[in-house]
Amino acid sequence: MANYSYEFHTIHTNSLTDNKNTGNVFTTQIFNPLKDIVQVSVLFANFDASDSTSNICYLTCPELASPFNEITGNVSGSATLSVSANPSTLTKVQNPVAVFNVNGSGRTTYNQVDYSTQTQFLAPIRKLDRLTSTLSDYEGNPIVLKNPDVFVSYRFTCARENLKPEKKQ
């Protein structure tokens, strides 16, 4: 049965439309801005970081930052993990949308069936008209790409009808 309380939008982004075309940082414009976003997930990602020395790649988008996406790690070499609402200053990557294992021998491909990357927003994102995507290594530096062509697809859940024209008062 269809759920008429929400709208679901798929947005495909790529680094090909960015003038800088470095691939590891790119901004894409959303031509029909989305409103009242309550959830986002990464459906697909594809990039070639085989020249990188990092085996991990973080995807961050400041527009989609959420305290529900956090990175943990060792504190002072002990086995105690740092998990808090206030991330450590040692954490170089804040609130990633997704984390990928880098394929050292070719293009890294992530599909949603690999594992879930859903993020919910308790306070909906009121309007989203662009996405700034950054691919970083474990140190927080832009990941080294063999090829600057990066593709990422997102699925957005909105708590309103975005494509239906608003009624004039």
Side-chain angles (χ1 to χ4, degrees):
M1 177 174 255
N3 183 342
Y4 295 106
S5 299
Y6 296 97
E7 272 187 354
F8 304 95
H9 296 267
T10 302
I11 304 289
H12 304 284
T13 65
N14 64 67
S15 62
L16 304 176
T17 57
D18 193 306
N19 294 335
K20 298 176 193 87
N21 202 18
T22 59
N24 48 26
V25 179
F26 60 95
T27 302
T28 52
Q29 188 78 28
I30 299 174
F31 299 117
N32 294 313
L34 299 177
K35 297 175 184 168
D36 293 333
I37 298 167
V38 293
Q39 184 171 293
V40 64
S41 60
V42 176
L43 298 177
F44 174 80
N46 184 285
F47 56 93
D48 188 349
S50 58
D51 283 354
S52 175
T53 57
S54 178
N55 62 340
I56 295 292
C57 177
Y58 296 101
L59 170 64
T60 57
C61 297
E63 300 89 352
L64 304 175
S66 167
F68 294 112
N69 289 346
E70 188 175 340
I71 298 172
T72 62
N74 287 339
V75 176
S76 303
S78 70
T80 306
L81 293 179
S82 63
V83 180
S84 70
N86 300 313
S88 164
T89 56
L90 299 175
T91 305
K92 308 274 187 197
V93 180
Q94 301 285 327
N95 309 113
V97 177
V99 180
F100 309 115
N101 288 321
V102 173
N103 181 353
S105 61
R107 293 192 73 83
T108 296
T109 301
Y110 163 82
N111 292 298
Q112 185 181 20
V113 296
D114 294 339
Y115 57 89
S116 175
T117 62
Q118 290 182 353
T119 301
Q120 292 185 339
F121 303 100
L122 296 180
I125 297 173
R126 293 291 166 213
K127 183 178 179 184
L128 182 68
D129 61 1
R130 74 185 68 232
L131 283 171
T132 306
S133 301
T134 302
L135 296 174
S136 305
D137 63 15
Y138 60 89
E139 292 281 325
N141 302 312
I143 197 153
V144 176
L145 296 173
K146 185 172 188 172
N147 181 315
D149 300 346
V150 176
F151 305 91
V152 181
S153 296
Y154 299 89
R155 181 176 188 201
F156 293 93
T157 304
C158 301
R160 76 179 297 185
E161 296 178 359
N162 282 279
L163 296 179
K164 186 176 180 180
E166 292 184 24
K167 294 179 183 177
K168 294 182 181 178
Q169 305 266 348

